[in-house]
Amino acid sequence: MLFFTCRIRVGDGMLKHYLLFIFIMLLSISPSSAEEQKLTELAWQTSPNIAALFEEAGVNGAFVVYDVIEQRLIGFNRQRVMQQFVPASSYKIPHTSIALNSGAISSVDELLSWDGNPAPFKAWEKDMSLREAIGVSNAAIYQQVSRRIGMTAMQHHIDKLGYGNALLGETVDRFWLDGPLKISALEQVRFLAKLANSALDYPSEQQAIVREIIQQPSSAGTALFAKSGWQNAPDPGIGWWVGWVETRGQIYAFALNLDIRSAKEAALREPLARRSLASMGLL
């Protein structure tokens, strides 16, 4: 970055305009962009074991682990790790935080009504809370919550979180399913590491609740938190499995994404991520 200094002679009016211009320019510097730059500068280590797992599975995708203590990235397909995709249901993690903080729901156990319309999956066709909806990845329930939040509040919170490209478009209940919202695996692990450490700008008790409802079965001595995503489900699209592992007193945020061409490939998301984590001794 280059810095220039100069002497200028201006009247009071021009000085006010100049100072206002400088202030606006300072506001335009995104903290999340600065954080992202720091992450891209971290040491990257390609894992041959993880590369072999993806090759064996026959899928096109990427995987990254953010070692928060050692400040390093480990994974496979670094170029794709930097590429942004529609988050799909992996967005339900920040979505739940926004719903709680905005007051759109009273708690993750508030019962929300099924609209009676046929759903892509039978498990969605009933009333349920966000605690249950996030487990079965019920898009319709979260769309209902999104309409309660509204576009103005949603944009405010997305900007506050620095989530992905922060673009919501004009449809408040579809932007994470169809775009324009997109996020990279690298941006996912930055956000997830903050949530894991209660470092988001939200009440700690709300962050704890979000962590609680995405906790997954894991081996003794290890805590696993994760959420899937499938853009364009049940048709071909992009699949996600993102989260973090807490083990030996440390946090390892991770993100997997892959191209889904069939339901068979969709079913590989969680096991491939678990095997990748196991290859690193984290599960």
Side-chain angles (χ1 to χ4, degrees):
M1 182 180 294
L2 298 176
F3 295 89
F4 298 90
T5 60
C6 62
R7 291 187 177 184
I8 56 174
R9 297 181 63 184
V10 297
D12 289 344
M14 185 178 293
L15 179 60
K16 288 179 182 178
H17 286 296
Y18 177 75
L19 293 175
L20 179 61
F21 171 76
I22 295 298
F23 179 67
I24 292 172
M25 290 299 292
L26 289 173
L27 286 180
S28 69
I29 300 174
S30 167
S32 62
S33 296
E35 292 170 1
E36 204 63 35
Q37 182 63 32
K38 289 180 182 178
L39 268 184
T40 61
E41 293 171 355
L42 292 181
W44 168 272
Q45 178 183 337
T46 295
S47 167
N49 292 335
I50 296 175
L53 290 172
F54 273 78
E55 184 177 357
E56 178 186 343
V59 294
N60 182 34
F63 185 82
V64 63
V65 168
Y66 174 28
D67 184 335
V68 178
I69 298 297
E70 297 295 329
Q71 287 293 289
R72 60 176 178 159
L73 302 169
I74 307 164
F76 162 70
N77 201 345
R78 185 180 187 183
Q79 183 176 359
R80 181 169 170 131
V81 162
M82 306 286 289
Q83 186 177 350
Q84 291 182 324
F85 298 97
V86 173
S89 286
S90 70
Y91 180 69
K92 286 184 173 67
I93 300 176
H95 206 162
T96 304
S97 295
I98 293 169
L100 288 168
N101 195 262
S102 66
I105 57 170
S106 57
S107 77
V108 294
D109 295 306
E110 178 184 339
L111 197 63
L112 300 162
S113 300
W114 171 43
D115 61 13
N117 294 320
F121 306 98
K122 279 294 180 182
W124 295 4
E125 295 182 353
K126 65 174 184 175
D127 299 346
M128 64 178 68
S129 65
L130 289 196
R131 183 185 297 274
E132 184 178 2
I134 202 168
V136 296
S137 213
N138 188 333
I141 288 292
Y142 272 85
Q143 286 177 296
Q144 181 183 150
V145 170
S146 197
R147 291 189 289 270
R148 288 189 185 184
I149 295 168
M151 186 63 84
T152 300
M154 187 73 80
Q155 185 70 67
H156 166 75
H157 285 282
I158 286 289
D159 291 340
K160 181 178 181 178
L161 292 171
Y163 188 86
N165 63 7
L167 298 177
L168 306 189
E170 298 179 354
T171 308
V172 73
D173 58 1
R174 296 289 307 180
F175 62 85
W176 70 94
L177 299 169
D178 307 322
L181 184 64
K182 292 185 177 182
I183 190 167
S184 69
L186 184 66
E187 291 166 325
Q188 289 268 24
V189 296
R190 178 185 65 81
F191 164 74
L192 294 163
K194 284 189 171 185
L195 176 58
N197 281 293
S198 283
L200 298 176
D201 189 17
Y202 289 139
S204 58
E205 61 271 21
Q206 289 183 356
Q207 296 181 69
I209 290 168
V210 176
R211 292 194 297 269
E212 175 190 329
I213 64 175
I214 62 171
Q215 188 162 3
Q216 306 293 315
S218 60
S219 55
T222 300
L224 173 65
F225 304 81
K227 181 70 190 79
S228 62
W230 182 355
Q231 178 264 337
N232 214 32
D235 298 317
I238 300 296
W240 291 94
W241 211 64
V242 306
W244 68 90
V245 176
E246 295 178 6
T247 182
R248 301 185 293 274
Q250 297 188 38
I251 291 171
Y252 301 88
F254 67 87
L256 170 145
N257 65 49
L258 52 81
D259 295 337
I260 293 177
R261 294 164 295 187
S262 68
K264 179 181 178 181
E265 288 168 324
L268 292 174
R269 290 168 295 167
E270 179 177 347
L272 185 53
R274 283 181 175 269
R275 291 178 68 191
S276 296
L277 292 167
S279 74
M280 297 173 58
L282 299 180
L283 280 183

